[in-house]
Each structure stands twice: as structure tokens, then as C-alpha cells.
Amino acid sequence: MFDALGSRLRASLQRLGGRGRISEADLEAGLAEIRTALIDADVALSVTDSLIASMRTRAHDEKVVGGIGSGDRLVAIVHAALTEALGGSGRELDLRERTASILLLGLQGAGKTTTAAKLALRLLRDGRRPLLVAADPRRPAAAEQLALLGAAIGVPVHREPIGTPVAEIGRRALESAKKLGRDLLIIDSSGRTTLDEELMRELADLRAAVNPRERILVLDAATGQQALRVAEGFKEAADPTGLILAKLDGDARGGAALSIAGGAGIPVLYLGTGERPEALERFHPDRIAGRILEMGDLATLAEIVRDAGGDPRAPVATKSGSGAPKGEMTFSDLLEQLRKMSSMGPIGQIVKMIPGMGGVAAQAEEAVAAGELKRAEAIILSMTPTERENPSLLSIPRRRRIAAGAGRAIEEVNRLVKRLEEMRLLIRRTGGIDPARLAGGGGGLPGKHAGGYIRPKEDRKAK
Ligand SMILES: Nc1nc2c(ncn2[C@@H]2O[C@H](COP(=O)(O)OP(=O)(O)OP(=O)(O)O)[C@@H](O)[C@H]2O)c(=O)[nH]1
Ligand SMILES: [Mg+2]
């Protein structure tokens, strides 16, 4: 989702970092390039300008001009400026009350109902007992949609007959939550095309009835900078405590996220990255900045693996098996990963979170589209368990038999073996995906440590 912006920024940084010494003029030229990249990615002008100003100040404070080997420091400076613009240390939902409540608000079609279900699922997994509340007094279809989503994720939905005033819906939902032993209300309010008086009155009534500590504005990131204006309108009228950017998967340029997070003055809490109830990501400014600069985001990757039913503490890519050198990846590991990937959604998004793998993401997307995962799975399943653990046993006759068993050409088997070798090499080079880092979180600054950012040039030189 930050492809275009990320690759432009990285190109500018690489050009600058490639110089022995950076002069004042180099720095200004680089900042001008970064500014154009931000504007082209649809980042709001005001946000762009304050970002550039912050980068300039940081560069001067760190005495980058005239210094030697400033490439890494520049990356760190841009990372820090982006992190700050995206909201600094970030914020979590405040759900300490005995019966906490979250009111979701936003324009029509922004993604409120979908997001209500996503939040319910996430907080359910965190050990809360949510109750979804359909608070659209006019549209029967709205409650119907929420009821279906609630049934799909196993969360009860409170609804009232059409025409019930929202304040009444809110009060009864609170009572019902207490009766049912639910400790969290997630209220899906009705959407309208504009922030008109009736909507403002409804929101005020709901607030008076339920007094939700969290009032979360859901914005459609696909509308780009328009979303920033919507946020400003709601800020005056409804005093939102946080933002959720829905449909960020549709924002290829990534400008909306930066514009909104940097310009609205309301913290972003989550990102919606798809239509499925699982497609909700916590928003961590430093991790997002790291992803834009392609430093990789292992912490988020670990969360996705955990949500897909994997073990976040298990090393993602290495496991020692019989016959395989300790710590080397085997076909059994690969098979396990292929299966997890198919349950995780768009694979490109995932691959991009692995440090240094950003460029492979597009290839990975193609592979999925072409059914390559399924075919690879079939080939691996045609191997004997011993072969899966030890690919060196795969002689030509065995490869031929495996190909026949999977109904594929032998070239495909050869390619898969080669792929495994490449992955082993990559893992060896990056020091693997360190379980401690996976469990501990953290975005990872430029490659001072294993598993961090891989500088493409050095990467090529290594080995
Ligand atoms: N791709 C993508 N689609 C999304 C996302 N969130 C919501 N949608 C889709 O956007 C459309 C509108 O979502 P809703 O949740 O119904 O929006 P709403 O704000 O409740 O709409 P109203 O109740 O009519 O105001 C639906 O088709 C959703 O599937 C997202 O993060 N990514
Ligand atoms: Mg809705």
C-alpha cells in the first residue's frame, strides 16, 4: 500500500547515500525530490511541507551535511520524521471501564459496519466479551448486515425495531450488555452522505445515552485527501478520540494514510486492509514508517501469523528436522508456510513485511494469481517425508517421479528446489527471523543487527 511512495523515497535516499559527502546543495536537492515524491503520492501539501521541514531540521541537528557515510543516518532521519508525522508513539483504545463502549462514526459507505465486526473479532480474541449494536434507526438492511457479520464471528448483535430513537437503542443495548455479561459495546451508527444536522443530533443523542469513552471516526482511505477534509468536519462536530482508516488496501500510493495521520490531529488506531473480518491491523507509526522505507516489519508479520493460527514465537522460517542441517529450512517448513499464507490473505502484503523482501512482493502476488502456491503444495506432497526434510536426496529419477505424481513438469520441481535453496540463502544472510524479535516487537532500524534493513548494494556484495 505504500509501494509508489516507498520506492521513490528509497531511490532518493540511495542517490544521496551513495555520495561520499553530502553538501548543503545535495541535501536540498534530495529534500526537493522527497517533496515531489510525497506530493505525487497524494500526501496533503501542509503535511508534506511540515515533513520536509522536520527532515531538514533533523539533518542539520545531526550534522549530516559534510559528514562521511551519511546514507544510514539519512534513512534514520527520514524514518524518524515519518514516524513523528504518523503520530509518534501511537495510542491504544481506552477500554478500562467495566462496560466500555466504542462508538463508530463516519460517512456513508466509509466502512463502519465492516470495521465494527473487525474490532469485535479482534477484541474478542483479546479476551473481551463484545456486544455489537446496530444503531441505524432507519435502514433495516444496516442491522441485517451487522447481524450477518456478528453471526460469522460469533459475537451477539443488539438491534431494535426500525424507528427506535438512537438514544433508546443505546440505553437498551447497555442494559442488555449488563444482562448478558458483555463488557464492551461496539456501536455501529448510521452513515450519511454528508455530515448534516440530523447525523450530528443522532451522534449527540448516542453520546448522551451511552457516554462512550471512545468515539472512533472511520474514514475511507480510498478517497485520498478528501478523507482529511471529512476528518476535519467530524472533528468539530463529534470530537472523535481516534481514527480507523478503512480500505487502505485500495490506496496504492499510500498518501491518504500519511495525509490523515499527519494532518488530522487525531491519532490513528487501526488500518482496514481488506473486506474480511481479520483484515484489521494495529497502527504503529514507527512500523509503518519502516514499511514505507522497506526496512521490513517483522512485528506486524508475527501478529498476522498468530492471527492466522500460527505460533508467533516459533521461528517463522527455520526449523531443524531429521537429515537437514540444524536451522536450515526444509520442504516441510515451506509446505507449512504455503498453507499459512493461503489463510492469511494477499500474500504481497505479507512478503513486504519481511526485511529486504519488498521487491519480491509483486512476484509473490503473481505467483498466487497463477495458482503457483497450490502447485508447489502438490509437488511437496508428492515427496516422501524424508525427502521433504532433506532435499539433497532429490535425484533426477526421484524428481521425475515426483513431477509425475504431482502432474507437473520436472522443470517445476527443479524450480521449487532452487527456490528452497534461495530461501535458505536469504535466511542465512539475514540471520533468520529471530523469535525474540518476533515476540518482542519493534520496527527495526537500518541493518545494524541481523534481520534488519538490508541495503541492496551490500546485499549483492555479501557472499
Ligand atoms: N477493500 C476493502 N473494502 C472494505 C474495507 N472496509 C470496508 N470495505 C467495503 O466497503 C463497503 C462499505 O462498507 P460498510 O462497512 O458497509 O460501510 P458503512 O460505513 O457501514 O456504510 P453505511 O452503513 O451504508 O454508512 C463494503 O463493501 C465493505 O466490504 C477495507 O478495509 N478494505
Ligand atoms: Mg453500515
Side-chain angles (χ1 to χ4, degrees):
M1 58 189 127
F2 301 107
D3 300 354
L5 176 60
S7 57
R8 291 272 299 274
L9 286 183
R10 287 191 305 277
S12 307
L13 286 170
Q14 239 166 335
R15 257 194 301 281
L16 273 175
R19 312 208 169 165
R21 265 171 214 276
I22 293 178
S23 69
E24 188 69 44
D26 292 337
L27 178 66
E28 282 310 315
L31 289 176
E33 261 185 59
I34 292 176
R35 185 169 187 277
T36 315
L38 291 167
I39 290 169
D40 286 352
D42 198 29
V43 178
L45 202 59
S46 57
V47 175
T48 301
D49 285 338
S50 69
L51 253 172
I52 296 294
S54 139
M55 288 175 195
R56 183 181 291 118
T57 310
R58 284 167 199 271
H60 286 143
D61 288 352
E62 301 236 340
K63 304 196 174 20
V64 167
V65 172
I68 298 173
S70 339
D72 263 3
R73 271 154 67 207
L74 268 178
V75 174
I77 283 166
V78 173
H79 181 272
L82 280 174
T83 303
E84 188 191 69
L86 290 167
S89 52
R91 185 177 94 76
E92 289 196 39
L93 282 171
D94 178 359
L95 304 175
R96 283 170 299 172
E97 282 163 296
R98 185 171 302 164
T99 310
S101 45
I102 304 173
L103 171 61
L104 294 175
L105 38 130
L107 291 186
Q108 195 168 62
K112 292 179 297 298
T113 306
T114 314
T115 303
K118 289 178 180 180
L119 266 182
L121 177 62
R122 160 157 306 232
L123 296 168
L124 181 73
R125 286 180 175 171
D126 285 351
R128 298 298 295 231
R129 296 173 48 75
L131 175 67
L132 283 161
V133 182
D136 186 329
R138 286 169 299 271
R139 232 166 29 98
E144 208 52 55
Q145 184 192 359
L146 193 65
L148 282 174
L149 287 168
I153 58 171
V155 170
V157 174
H158 181 91
R159 52 194 290 190
E160 295 283 339
I162 283 302
T164 311
V166 288
E168 193 59 37
I169 298 178
R171 270 192 295 274
R172 290 195 195 149
L174 255 179
E175 279 165 24
S176 144
K178 283 175 185 153
K179 232 176 277 161
L180 298 169
R182 296 271 137 184
D183 61 7
L184 172 64
L185 295 187
I186 299 177
I187 306 167
D188 178 26
S189 65
S190 68
R192 306 174 68 82
T193 49
T194 56
L195 182 56
D196 56 25
E197 273 189 24
E198 192 175 10
L199 177 58
M200 282 194 266
R201 198 164 46 239
E202 268 179 26
L203 292 175
D205 286 353
L206 267 173
R207 278 180 72 177
V210 185
N211 190 20
R213 193 172 280 182
E214 293 285 5
R215 298 172 296 279
I216 306 295
L217 175 58
V218 180
L219 292 170
D220 182 344
T223 62
Q225 287 188 35
Q226 179 64 37
L228 184 55
R229 284 187 281 278
V230 173
E232 276 154 9
F234 271 90
K235 200 171 167 178
E236 295 216 338
D239 188 24
T241 53
L243 300 177
I244 293 181
L245 309 184
K247 308 187 205 176
L248 205 71
D249 48 320
D251 175 31
R253 290 182 296 179
L258 253 176
S259 295
I260 299 164
I266 309 168
V268 180
L269 303 179
Y270 291 94
L271 304 177
T273 55
E275 298 188 62
R276 294 172 308 119
E278 291 84 9
L280 187 73
E281 253 182 46
R282 268 290 304 280
F283 183 84
H284 297 284
D286 58 333
R287 296 193 202 169
I288 298 284
R291 244 194 273 171
I292 292 176
L293 296 172
E294 251 179 42
M295 293 164 172
D297 182 357
L298 290 177
T300 299
L301 179 63
E303 280 163 15
I304 293 176
V305 172
R306 183 174 43 219
D307 289 350
D311 178 359
R313 264 166 316 214
V316 168
T318 56
K319 191 182 75 192
S320 63
S322 56
K326 198 167 156 33
E328 285 271 48
M329 186 180 192
T330 68
F331 274 117
S332 311
D333 299 323
L334 187 57
L335 183 63
E336 198 181 309
Q337 284 184 46
L338 288 176
R339 288 179 170 161
K340 267 183 209 150
M341 280 177 186
S342 8
S343 64
M344 280 181 211
I347 184 174
Q349 292 182 19
I350 295 162
V351 176
K352 254 176 275 177
M353 293 176 197
I354 304 175
M357 290 285 274
V360 195
Q363 266 168 281
E365 294 272 20
E366 268 170 43
V368 174
E372 226 176 80
L373 288 190
K374 280 268 155 274
R375 293 206 297 272
E377 196 177 328
I379 292 173
I380 298 173
L381 286 174
S382 302
M383 298 173 186
T384 66
T386 337
E387 285 166 344
R388 279 177 222 164
E389 292 304 318
N390 195 351
S392 63
L393 298 174
L394 295 173
S395 59
I396 304 290
R398 279 302 303 154
R399 290 186 193 199
R400 206 168 285 134
R401 286 271 295 280
I402 290 163
R408 314 299 322 167
I410 185 167
E411 287 78 17
E412 268 188 59
V413 179
N414 290 340
R415 231 177 297 148
L416 195 63
V417 175
K418 187 119 188 287
R419 186 70 62 84
L420 184 74
E421 282 163 6
E422 284 166 4
M423 289 177 93
R424 285 179 158 190
L425 194 68
L426 181 83
I427 288 164
R428 232 177 285 144
R429 234 183 247 166
T430 56
I433 295 177
D434 176 6
R437 283 197 68 213
L438 281 178
L445 271 170
K448 304 282 186 305
H449 43 71
Y453 171 66
I454 302 171
R455 274 150 296 179
K457 261 189 243 148
E458 285 192 9
D459 190 31
R460 247 174 273 134
K461 263 186 267 160
K463 315 239 154 151

